[in-house]
Coordinates of all heavy atoms in Angstrom, one line a residue:
M1 N -23.8 18.1 -23.8 CA -23.7 19.7 -24.0 C -23.9 20.3 -22.6 O -24.7 19.9 -21.9 CB -24.9 20.0 -25.0 CG -24.7 21.5 -25.5 SD -25.8 21.9 -26.8 CE -26.9 20.6 -27.1
K2 N -23.1 21.2 -22.3 CA -23.1 21.8 -21.0 C -23.8 23.1 -21.2 O -23.8 23.7 -22.2 CB -21.7 21.9 -20.4 CG -20.8 22.7 -21.3 CD -19.3 22.8 -20.7 CE -18.5 23.7 -21.7 NZ -17.1 23.6 -21.3
P3 N -24.4 23.6 -20.0 CA -25.0 24.9 -20.1 C -24.0 26.0 -20.6 O -22.9 26.0 -20.3 CB -25.4 25.2 -18.5 CG -25.3 23.9 -17.9 CD -24.3 23.0 -18.7
G4 N -24.5 26.9 -21.4 CA -23.6 28.0 -21.9 C -23.1 27.5 -23.2 O -22.4 28.4 -23.8
T5 N -23.3 26.4 -23.8 CA -22.8 26.0 -25.1 C -23.6 26.9 -26.1 O -24.7 26.9 -26.1 CB -22.9 24.5 -25.4 OG1 -22.2 23.9 -24.3 CG2 -22.4 24.2 -26.7
V6 N -22.9 27.4 -27.1 CA -23.4 28.1 -28.2 C -23.3 27.3 -29.4 O -22.3 26.7 -29.8 CB -22.6 29.4 -28.5 CG1 -23.3 30.2 -29.7 CG2 -22.7 30.3 -27.2
L7 N -24.5 27.1 -30.0 CA -24.7 26.4 -31.2 C -24.9 27.4 -32.5 O -25.5 28.3 -32.4 CB -25.9 25.4 -31.3 CG -25.9 24.3 -30.2 CD1 -27.1 23.5 -30.2 CD2 -24.7 23.4 -30.4
C8 N -24.2 27.1 -33.5 CA -24.2 28.0 -34.7 C -24.4 27.1 -35.9 O -23.7 26.1 -36.1 CB -22.8 28.7 -34.8 SG -22.8 29.7 -36.2
H9 N -25.5 27.4 -36.6 CA -25.9 26.7 -37.9 C -25.1 27.4 -39.0 O -25.2 28.7 -39.2 CB -27.3 26.7 -38.0 CG -27.7 26.1 -39.3 ND1 -27.8 24.7 -39.4 CD2 -28.1 26.7 -40.5 CE1 -28.1 24.4 -40.8 NE2 -28.3 25.6 -41.4
A10 N -24.4 26.6 -39.8 CA -23.7 27.3 -40.8 C -23.7 26.3 -42.1 O -23.6 25.1 -41.8 CB -22.3 27.6 -40.6
L11 N -23.7 26.8 -43.2 CA -23.5 25.9 -44.4 C -22.2 25.8 -44.8 O -21.4 26.8 -44.8 CB -24.3 26.6 -45.6 CG -25.9 26.5 -45.3 CD1 -26.5 27.3 -46.6 CD2 -26.5 25.2 -45.2
W12 N -21.7 24.7 -45.1 CA -20.4 24.4 -45.6 C -20.4 23.9 -47.0 O -21.3 23.3 -47.5 CB -19.7 23.3 -44.7 CG -19.4 23.9 -43.3 CD1 -20.1 24.5 -42.4 CD2 -18.0 24.0 -42.8 NE1 -19.4 24.9 -41.2 CE2 -18.0 24.6 -41.5 CE3 -16.8 23.6 -43.3 CZ2 -17.0 24.8 -40.8 CZ3 -15.6 23.8 -42.5 CH2 -15.7 24.5 -41.3
T13 N -19.3 24.0 -47.6 CA -19.1 23.5 -49.0 C -17.8 22.8 -49.0 O -17.0 22.8 -48.2 CB -19.1 24.8 -50.0 OG1 -19.0 24.2 -51.3 CG2 -18.0 25.6 -49.8
I14 N -17.7 21.9 -50.1 CA -16.5 21.1 -50.3 C -16.1 21.2 -51.8 O -16.9 21.3 -52.7 CB -16.7 19.6 -49.9 CG1 -15.3 18.9 -50.0 CG2 -17.8 18.9 -50.8 CD1 -15.4 17.5 -49.3
G15 N -14.7 21.4 -52.0 CA -14.3 21.6 -53.4 C -12.8 21.2 -53.5 O -12.2 20.9 -52.5
P16 N -12.3 21.4 -54.8 CA -10.8 21.2 -54.9 C -10.0 22.1 -53.9 O -10.3 23.3 -53.9 CB -10.7 21.4 -56.3 CG -12.0 21.3 -57.0 CD -12.9 21.8 -55.9
D17 N -8.9 21.6 -53.4 CA -8.0 22.4 -52.5 C -7.2 23.3 -53.4 O -6.4 22.7 -54.3 CB -7.2 21.4 -51.7 CG -6.3 22.3 -50.7 OD1 -6.2 23.4 -50.8 OD2 -5.8 21.7 -49.7
P18 N -7.2 24.5 -53.4 CA -6.4 25.4 -54.3 C -4.9 25.1 -54.1 O -4.0 25.3 -55.0 CB -6.6 26.8 -53.9 CG -7.4 26.7 -52.6 CD -8.0 25.4 -52.5
D19 N -4.5 24.6 -52.9 CA -3.1 24.2 -52.7 C -2.8 22.7 -53.0 O -1.8 22.2 -52.5 CB -2.6 24.6 -51.3 CG -2.8 26.0 -51.0 OD1 -2.5 26.8 -51.9 OD2 -3.1 26.4 -49.9
R20 N -3.8 22.1 -53.8 CA -3.7 20.6 -53.9 C -2.4 20.2 -54.8 O -1.9 21.0 -55.6 CB -4.9 20.1 -54.6 CG -5.1 20.6 -56.0 CD -6.4 20.2 -56.5 NE -6.7 20.7 -57.9 CZ -7.2 21.9 -58.1 NH1 -7.5 22.7 -57.2 NH2 -7.4 22.3 -59.4
N21 N -2.1 19.0 -54.6 CA -1.2 18.3 -55.4 C -2.0 17.9 -56.8 O -3.1 17.8 -56.7 CB -0.5 17.1 -54.8 CG 0.4 17.5 -53.6 OD1 1.1 18.5 -53.8 ND2 0.2 16.9 -52.5
P22 N -1.4 17.6 -57.9 CA -2.0 17.1 -59.0 C -2.7 15.8 -58.6 O -2.2 15.0 -57.9 CB -1.0 16.8 -60.0 CG 0.3 17.6 -59.6 CD 0.1 17.7 -58.1
P23 N -4.0 15.6 -59.2 CA -4.7 14.4 -58.9 C -3.9 13.2 -59.3 O -3.0 13.2 -60.3 CB -5.9 14.4 -59.8 CG -6.1 15.9 -60.1 CD -4.7 16.5 -60.1
T24 N -4.0 12.2 -58.6 CA -3.3 10.9 -58.8 C -4.4 9.9 -59.3 O -5.5 9.9 -58.9 CB -2.5 10.4 -57.6 OG1 -3.4 10.1 -56.6 CG2 -1.4 11.3 -57.3
V25 N -3.8 8.8 -60.1 CA -4.7 7.8 -60.6 C -4.0 6.4 -60.6 O -2.7 6.5 -60.8 CB -5.2 8.2 -62.1 CG1 -4.0 8.3 -62.9 CG2 -6.2 7.2 -62.6
H26 N -4.6 5.4 -60.3 CA -4.1 4.1 -60.7 C -5.3 3.1 -61.0 O -6.4 3.5 -60.8 CB -3.3 3.5 -59.5 CG -4.2 3.0 -58.3 ND1 -4.5 3.8 -57.3 CD2 -4.6 1.8 -58.0 CE1 -5.2 3.1 -56.5 NE2 -5.4 2.0 -56.8
T27 N -5.0 2.1 -61.7 CA -6.0 1.1 -62.1 C -5.8 -0.2 -61.5 O -4.6 -0.7 -61.4 CB -5.9 1.0 -63.7 OG1 -6.0 2.3 -64.3 CG2 -7.1 0.0 -64.2
A28 N -6.9 -0.7 -60.9 CA -6.8 -2.0 -60.2 C -7.6 -3.0 -60.9 O -8.7 -2.8 -61.3 CB -7.3 -1.8 -58.7
C29 N -7.0 -4.2 -61.1 CA -7.7 -5.3 -61.7 C -8.7 -5.8 -60.8 O -8.5 -6.1 -59.6 CB -6.6 -6.3 -62.1 SG -7.4 -7.9 -62.9
K30 N -9.9 -6.1 -61.3 CA -11.1 -6.6 -60.5 C -11.0 -8.2 -60.4 O -11.8 -8.7 -59.6 CB -12.4 -6.1 -60.9 CG -12.6 -4.6 -60.8 CD -13.8 -4.1 -61.4 CE -15.0 -4.5 -60.5 NZ -16.3 -3.8 -61.1
E31 N -10.2 -8.7 -61.2 CA -10.1 -10.1 -61.3 C -8.9 -10.8 -60.5 O -8.8 -12.0 -60.3 CB -10.1 -10.7 -62.6 CG -11.3 -10.2 -63.4 CD -11.4 -10.5 -64.9 OE1 -11.1 -11.7 -65.2 OE2 -11.8 -9.7 -65.6
C32 N -7.9 -9.9 -60.1 CA -6.8 -10.3 -59.3 C -6.4 -9.1 -58.4 O -7.1 -8.1 -58.4 CB -5.6 -10.8 -60.1 SG -4.8 -9.6 -61.0
D33 N -5.3 -9.3 -57.6 CA -5.0 -8.1 -56.8 C -4.0 -7.2 -57.3 O -3.5 -6.3 -56.6 CB -4.3 -8.8 -55.5 CG -5.3 -9.5 -54.6 OD1 -6.5 -9.2 -54.7 OD2 -4.9 -10.5 -53.9
E34 N -3.7 -7.3 -58.6 CA -2.6 -6.5 -59.2 C -3.2 -5.0 -59.5 O -4.4 -4.9 -59.8 CB -2.1 -7.0 -60.5 CG -1.2 -8.2 -60.2 CD -0.5 -8.7 -61.5 OE1 0.1 -7.8 -62.2 OE2 -0.4 -9.9 -61.7
K35 N -2.4 -4.1 -59.4 CA -2.7 -2.7 -59.8 C -1.5 -2.0 -60.3 O -0.5 -2.3 -60.0 CB -3.4 -2.0 -58.5 CG -2.5 -1.9 -57.4 CD -3.2 -1.3 -56.2 CE -2.5 -1.6 -54.8 NZ -3.3 -1.2 -53.8
S36 N -1.9 -0.9 -61.0 CA -0.8 -0.1 -61.7 C -0.2 0.8 -60.7 O -0.7 0.9 -59.6 CB -1.5 0.8 -62.8 OG -2.2 1.8 -62.2
P37 N 1.0 1.2 -61.0 CA 1.6 2.2 -60.1 C 0.8 3.5 -60.0 O 0.1 3.8 -60.9 CB 2.9 2.5 -60.8 CG 3.3 1.5 -61.7 CD 1.9 0.9 -62.1
V38 N 0.8 4.2 -58.8 CA 0.1 5.4 -58.7 C 0.9 6.5 -59.4 O 2.1 6.6 -59.1 CB -0.1 5.7 -57.1 CG1 -0.8 7.1 -57.0 CG2 -1.0 4.6 -56.5
G39 N 0.2 7.4 -60.1 CA 0.8 8.5 -60.8 C -0.2 9.5 -61.2 O -1.3 9.4 -60.9
T40 N 0.4 10.5 -62.0 CA -0.4 11.6 -62.4 C -0.7 11.5 -63.9 O -1.5 12.2 -64.4 CB 0.2 12.9 -62.1 OG1 1.4 12.9 -62.8 CG2 0.4 13.2 -60.7
D41 N -0.3 10.5 -64.5 CA -0.5 10.3 -65.9 C -1.6 9.1 -66.2 O -1.3 8.0 -66.0 CB 0.8 9.8 -66.7 CG 0.7 9.7 -68.1 OD1 -0.4 9.9 -68.6 OD2 1.7 9.3 -68.8
R42 N -2.7 9.7 -66.6 CA -3.9 8.7 -66.8 C -3.6 7.7 -68.0 O -3.9 6.5 -67.8 CB -5.2 9.4 -67.1 CG -6.3 8.4 -67.1 CD -7.7 9.1 -67.3 NE -8.7 8.3 -67.3 CZ -10.0 8.5 -67.7 NH1 -10.3 9.7 -67.9 NH2 -10.8 7.6 -67.7
A43 N -2.9 8.2 -68.9 CA -2.7 7.3 -70.1 C -1.7 6.2 -69.6 O -1.9 5.0 -70.1 CB -1.9 8.1 -71.2
A44 N -0.8 6.4 -68.7 CA 0.1 5.3 -68.3 C -0.7 4.2 -67.5 O -0.5 3.1 -67.6 CB 1.2 5.9 -67.3
S45 N -1.7 4.7 -66.7 CA -2.6 3.8 -66.0 C -3.4 2.9 -67.0 O -3.6 1.8 -66.8 CB -3.5 4.6 -65.1 OG -4.3 3.8 -64.3
D46 N -4.0 3.6 -68.0 CA -4.7 2.9 -69.0 C -3.8 1.8 -69.7 O -4.2 0.7 -70.0 CB -5.4 3.8 -70.0 CG -6.4 4.6 -69.5 OD1 -6.9 4.3 -68.4 OD2 -6.8 5.5 -70.1
L47 N -2.6 2.3 -70.1 CA -1.6 1.4 -70.7 C -1.3 0.1 -69.9 O -1.2 -1.0 -70.4 CB -0.4 2.1 -71.1 CG 0.6 1.4 -72.0 CD1 0.1 0.8 -73.3 CD2 1.9 2.2 -72.2
W48 N -1.1 0.4 -68.6 CA -1.0 -0.8 -67.7 C -2.0 -1.8 -67.8 O -1.8 -3.0 -67.9 CB -0.8 -0.3 -66.3 CG -0.6 -1.4 -65.2 CD1 0.6 -2.0 -64.8 CD2 -1.7 -2.1 -64.7 NE1 0.3 -3.1 -64.1 CE2 -1.0 -3.2 -63.9 CE3 -3.0 -2.0 -64.6 CZ2 -1.8 -4.1 -63.1 CZ3 -3.8 -2.9 -63.9 CH2 -3.2 -4.0 -63.2
A49 N -3.2 -1.3 -67.8 CA -4.5 -2.2 -67.9 C -4.5 -3.0 -69.2 O -4.7 -4.2 -69.2 CB -5.8 -1.4 -67.7
L50 N -4.2 -2.3 -70.2 CA -4.1 -3.0 -71.6 C -3.1 -4.0 -71.6 O -3.3 -5.1 -72.1 CB -3.9 -2.0 -72.7 CG -5.1 -0.9 -72.9 CD1 -4.6 0.2 -73.9 CD2 -6.3 -1.6 -73.5
R51 N -2.0 -3.7 -71.1 CA -0.8 -4.7 -71.0 C -1.3 -5.9 -70.1 O -1.0 -7.0 -70.4 CB 0.5 -4.1 -70.5 CG 1.0 -3.2 -71.6 CD 2.4 -2.6 -71.1 NE 3.0 -1.9 -72.3 CZ 3.9 -0.9 -72.1 NH1 4.1 -0.4 -70.9 NH2 4.4 -0.3 -73.2
H52 N -1.8 -5.6 -69.0 CA -2.3 -6.6 -68.0 C -3.4 -7.5 -68.6 O -3.3 -8.7 -68.5 CB -3.0 -5.9 -66.7 CG -3.4 -6.9 -65.6 ND1 -2.4 -7.5 -64.8 CD2 -4.5 -7.3 -65.3 CE1 -3.0 -8.3 -64.0 NE2 -4.3 -8.2 -64.2
S53 N -4.2 -7.0 -69.4 CA -5.2 -7.8 -70.2 C -4.5 -8.7 -71.1 O -4.9 -9.9 -71.2 CB -6.3 -6.9 -70.9 OG -7.1 -6.3 -70.1
G54 N -3.5 -8.1 -71.8 CA -2.8 -9.1 -72.9 C -2.1 -10.1 -72.2 O -1.9 -11.3 -72.7
R55 N -1.6 -9.8 -71.0 CA -0.8 -10.9 -70.2 C -1.6 -11.9 -69.5 O -1.2 -13.0 -69.4 CB 0.2 -10.1 -69.3 CG 1.1 -10.9 -68.5 CD 2.2 -10.1 -67.8 NE 1.6 -9.1 -66.9 CZ 1.2 -9.2 -65.7 NH1 1.3 -10.4 -65.2 NH2 0.7 -8.2 -65.0
T56 N -2.8 -11.4 -68.9 CA -3.5 -12.3 -68.1 C -4.9 -12.7 -68.7 O -5.5 -13.7 -68.2 CB -3.8 -11.7 -66.8 OG1 -4.6 -10.5 -67.0 CG2 -2.5 -11.3 -66.0
G57 N -5.4 -12.0 -69.6 CA -6.8 -12.2 -70.0 C -7.8 -11.5 -69.1 O -9.0 -11.6 -69.5
H58 N -7.4 -10.9 -68.2 CA -8.3 -10.2 -67.3 C -8.9 -8.9 -67.9 O -8.0 -8.2 -68.6 CB -7.7 -9.8 -66.0 CG -7.3 -11.0 -65.1 ND1 -6.3 -10.9 -64.1 CD2 -7.5 -12.4 -65.3 CE1 -6.2 -12.2 -63.5 NE2 -6.9 -13.0 -64.4
R59 N -10.1 -8.6 -67.8 CA -10.7 -7.5 -68.6 C -11.5 -6.5 -67.7 O -12.0 -5.5 -68.3 CB -11.7 -8.1 -69.7 CG -11.0 -9.1 -70.5 CD -11.9 -9.8 -71.4 NE -11.9 -9.1 -72.8 CZ -12.7 -9.5 -73.8 NH1 -13.6 -10.4 -73.6 NH2 -12.6 -8.8 -74.9
R60 N -11.6 -6.7 -66.5 CA -12.4 -5.8 -65.6 C -11.5 -5.1 -64.7 O -10.7 -5.7 -64.0 CB -13.5 -6.5 -64.8 CG -14.5 -7.2 -65.8 CD -15.8 -7.6 -65.1 NE -16.6 -8.3 -66.0 CZ -17.4 -7.6 -66.9 NH1 -17.4 -6.5 -67.0 NH2 -18.2 -8.5 -67.7
Y61 N -11.7 -3.7 -64.6 CA -10.8 -2.9 -63.9 C -11.6 -1.8 -63.1 O -12.7 -1.5 -63.3 CB -9.7 -2.1 -64.8 CG -8.9 -3.1 -65.4 CD1 -9.2 -3.6 -66.7 CD2 -7.7 -3.6 -64.9 CE1 -8.4 -4.6 -67.4 CE2 -6.9 -4.5 -65.5 CZ -7.2 -4.9 -66.7 OH -6.6 -5.9 -67.3
H62 N -10.9 -1.3 -62.1 CA -11.4 -0.2 -61.3 C -10.4 0.9 -61.3 O -9.3 0.7 -60.9 CB -11.7 -0.6 -59.7 CG -12.4 0.3 -58.9 ND1 -13.7 0.5 -58.9 CD2 -11.8 1.3 -58.1 CE1 -14.0 1.4 -58.1 NE2 -12.9 1.9 -57.6
E63 N -10.9 2.1 -61.8 CA -10.1 3.3 -61.9 C -10.1 4.1 -60.6 O -11.3 4.4 -60.2 CB -10.4 4.1 -63.1 CG -9.5 5.4 -63.2 CD -9.8 6.2 -64.4 OE1 -10.9 6.7 -64.4 OE2 -9.0 6.3 -65.3
C64 N -9.1 4.3 -59.9 CA -9.0 5.0 -58.7 C -8.4 6.4 -58.8 O -7.2 6.5 -59.2 CB -8.3 4.2 -57.6 SG -8.9 2.4 -57.4
V65 N -9.1 7.4 -58.6 CA -8.5 8.8 -58.8 C -8.6 9.5 -57.4 O -9.6 9.4 -56.7 CB -9.5 9.6 -59.7 CG1 -8.8 11.0 -59.9 CG2 -9.5 9.0 -61.1
S66 N -7.6 10.1 -57.0 CA -7.4 10.8 -55.8 C -7.1 12.2 -56.0 O -6.3 12.7 -56.6 CB -6.3 10.2 -55.0 OG -6.1 10.9 -53.7
V67 N -8.2 13.1 -55.4 CA -8.0 14.5 -55.6 C -8.1 15.2 -54.2 O -8.9 14.8 -53.4 CB -9.2 15.0 -56.4 CG1 -9.1 16.6 -56.5 CG2 -9.2 14.4 -57.8
D68 N -7.2 16.1 -53.9 CA -7.2 16.7 -52.6 C -8.4 17.9 -52.6 O -8.6 18.5 -53.5 CB -5.9 17.6 -52.3 CG -4.8 16.7 -52.2 OD1 -4.9 15.5 -51.9 OD2 -3.6 17.1 -52.4
L69 N -9.3 17.7 -51.5 CA -10.4 18.5 -51.4 C -10.3 19.4 -50.1 O -9.5 19.1 -49.2 CB -11.7 17.6 -51.2 CG -12.0 16.7 -52.4 CD1 -13.2 16.0 -52.1 CD2 -12.2 17.6 -53.6
I70 N -11.1 20.4 -50.0 CA -11.0 21.3 -48.8 C -12.5 21.6 -48.5 O -13.2 21.9 -49.4 CB -10.1 22.5 -49.0 CG1 -10.0 23.3 -47.7 CG2 -10.6 23.4 -50.1 CD1 -8.8 24.3 -47.6
T71 N -12.8 21.7 -47.3 CA -14.2 22.2 -46.8 C -13.9 23.6 -46.2 O -12.9 24.0 -45.7 CB -14.8 21.3 -45.8 OG1 -13.9 21.2 -44.6 CG2 -15.0 19.9 -46.3
R72 N -15.1 24.4 -46.4 CA -15.0 25.7 -45.8 C -16.5 26.2 -45.6 O -17.4 25.7 -46.3 CB -14.3 26.7 -46.6 CG -14.8 27.0 -47.9 CD -14.0 27.9 -48.7 NE -14.5 28.0 -50.1 CZ -15.6 28.8 -50.4 NH1 -16.3 29.4 -49.5 NH2 -16.0 28.7 -51.7
P73 N -16.7 27.0 -44.6 CA -18.1 27.6 -44.5 C -18.4 28.5 -45.8 O -17.5 29.1 -46.4 CB -18.0 28.6 -43.3 CG -16.8 28.1 -42.6 CD -15.8 27.5 -43.5
T74 N -19.6 28.4 -46.2 CA -20.0 29.1 -47.4 C -19.7 30.7 -47.4 O -19.5 31.3 -48.4 CB -21.4 28.9 -47.9 OG1 -22.2 29.2 -46.8 CG2 -21.6 27.5 -48.2
H75 N -19.7 31.2 -46.1 CA -19.6 32.6 -45.9 C -18.1 33.0 -46.0 O -17.8 34.2 -46.0 CB -20.3 33.1 -44.7 CG -19.6 32.6 -43.5 ND1 -19.9 31.4 -42.9 CD2 -18.7 33.0 -42.6 CE1 -19.3 31.2 -41.9 NE2 -18.4 32.1 -41.6
E76 N -17.2 32.0 -45.9 CA -15.8 32.4 -45.9 C -15.2 32.3 -47.4 O -15.5 31.4 -48.2 CB -15.1 31.2 -45.1 CG -13.6 31.4 -44.9 CD -13.0 30.3 -44.1 OE1 -13.4 30.1 -42.9 OE2 -12.3 29.4 -44.7
E77 N -14.5 33.3 -47.6 CA -13.9 33.4 -49.0 C -12.9 32.4 -49.3 O -12.1 32.0 -48.3 CB -13.2 34.8 -49.2 CG -14.1 35.9 -49.2 CD -15.1 36.0 -50.4 OE1 -14.6 35.7 -51.5 OE2 -16.2 36.3 -50.2
P78 N -12.8 31.8 -50.5 CA -11.7 30.8 -50.7 C -10.3 31.5 -50.5 O -10.1 32.7 -50.6 CB -11.9 30.5 -52.2 CG -13.3 30.9 -52.5 CD -13.7 32.1 -51.6
T79 N -9.3 30.6 -50.1 CA -8.0 31.2 -49.8 C -7.3 31.7 -51.1 O -6.3 32.3 -51.0 CB -7.2 30.2 -49.1 OG1 -7.1 28.9 -49.9 CG2 -7.7 29.9 -47.7
R80 N -7.8 31.3 -52.3 CA -7.3 31.7 -53.5 C -8.3 32.2 -54.4 O -9.4 31.8 -54.4 CB -6.4 30.8 -54.2 CG -5.1 30.6 -53.6 CD -4.2 29.7 -54.4 NE -3.0 29.5 -53.8 CZ -2.1 28.6 -54.1 NH1 -2.2 28.0 -55.2 NH2 -0.9 28.6 -53.5
Ligands
ZN1 ZN1 -5.8 -9.2 -63.2

């Protein structure tokens, strides 16, 4: 830090980005490296896991959901 630097304490928040794309989801098998295609339809991801179980006997999965987020200072109005 050099002389003359101004520090400002501010509270920030994080939440869904109003300009976000729809959340995406995929299911990954925890017993092998296979995973469902990434998409916006959770039912399709679940169906992939059920079919994978029927085909392989694998029963443990990890659901991966991706949501766009945005941070902003609490004193700043949301853009929408
Ligand atoms: Zn598997």
Side-chain angles (χ1 to χ4, degrees):
M1 193 169 5
K2 60 185 179 186
T5 300
V6 177
L7 296 178
C8 178
H9 176 77
L11 295 176
W12 283 63
T13 186
I14 187 167
D17 185 344
D19 296 325
R20 68 186 177 273
N21 294 316
T24 59
V25 62
H26 76 271
T27 301
C29 179
K30 293 175 73 175
E31 298 180 46
C32 72
D33 292 334
E34 290 191 44
K35 56 186 161 187
S36 72
V38 176
T40 57
D41 183 1
R42 185 175 180 192
S45 181
D46 289 348
L47 183 58
W48 175 88
L50 293 168
R51 287 181 173 152
H52 184 76
S53 288
R55 183 168 51 85
T56 64
H58 298 165
R59 302 172 98 183
R60 298 193 184 282
Y61 297 90
H62 185 80
E63 182 178 63
C64 306
V65 178
S66 177
V67 178
D68 293 338
L69 301 175
I70 189 168
T71 60
R72 63 180 175 80
T74 55
H75 65 274
E76 185 179 291
E77 292 294 322
T79 54
R80 283 192 184 172

